[in-house]
Amino acid sequence: MRFIRIGNRVVNLDRIAHCEVQIWHDTLSVKIFLSGSANNTPIVLNEDEAKLFWAYMESTAEKLG
């Protein structure tokens, strides 16, 4: 299992089904949908946390691709 700490949250990267990035009026947010959860409520990261998470995901994707 791989975990990442973002602010005061810890996310298990192995359980991420997909992510949605939303930019509206120069405000960034990321919705993280997890697989295996009973409800489909996403984790929502706003501004600073979203920037950290998305930068990590982009750098990981560059390393793998």
Side-chain angles (χ1 to χ4, degrees):
M1 293 199 295
R2 297 172 299 156
F3 293 93
I4 183 173
R5 176 179 223 138
I6 303 165
N8 61 352
R9 303 169 195 224
V10 176
V11 177
N12 183 349
L13 296 176
D14 295 330
R15 291 196 51 216
I16 294 177
H18 72 277
C19 300
E20 294 178 5
V21 176
Q22 298 176 341
I23 301 173
W24 191 68
H25 291 289
D26 297 331
T27 301
L28 176 73
S29 68
V30 175
K31 290 183 181 178
I32 303 172
F33 293 88
L34 302 174
S35 62
S37 61
N39 57 10
N40 291 330
T41 305
I43 298 171
V44 179
L45 304 175
N46 291 318
E47 206 58 35
D48 293 334
E49 292 176 342
K51 287 179 183 177
L52 287 171
F53 176 75
W54 203 248
Y56 176 79
M57 295 303 282
E58 286 180 336
S59 68
T60 303
E62 288 176 4
K63 291 177 186 176
L64 295 175

